[in-house]
Amino acid sequence: PEYHHAYNALGYSLAERGVRLPEAKQLILKALEFAPADPFIIDSLGWVEFRMGNPAEARRHLEAAYKARPDVEIAAHLGEVLWSQGDKEAAMRVWKEGQRVNPDNETLKETLARLGAKL
């Protein structure tokens, strides 16, 4: 019950599938109680906000997560939110940074393919 990674993993997996989003958010918020500065949990919160149709809130969380830890998975999520908001230039910049860190990341590759974005 105090293992924050389990709360985050379950919440993120629900958000990724787009199911039980209010429950996913609550699980992620529970994880944040244990690790409020963890950029991966903040990323999950941003992702669930995006899936719930709150792109401005999602962007706020994802930008904070990416600033704390410029990880390719976070870059994929932040880029998608930026892209959805019409800020394609910023999305491309973030994705390129992520690609430099890990050019073979499947999440980034899938995101680019799904959105038809070419780096």
Side-chain angles (χ1 to χ4, degrees), residues 7-54:
Y7 287 114
N8 183 55
L10 180 55
Y12 177 80
S13 68
L14 293 172
E16 182 64 15
R17 291 190 309 254
V19 299
R20 298 169 28 201
L21 295 174
E23 180 183 356
K25 184 175 178 179
Q26 289 308 307
L27 289 163
I28 294 164
L29 289 172
K30 182 73 172 177
L32 275 173
E33 289 176 17
F34 293 103
D38 186 311
F40 293 110
I41 300 173
I42 297 167
D43 168 67
S44 295
L45 181 59
W47 195 238
V48 77
E49 288 288 0
F50 180 63
R51 294 293 187 140
M52 293 177 80
N54 304 318

Side-chain angles (χ1 to χ4, degrees), residues 76-89:
H77 292 152
L78 175 57
E80 184 162 348
V81 170
L82 294 167
W83 186 271
S84 77
Q85 292 181 313
D87 196 349
K88 293 185 178 357
E89 185 177 312

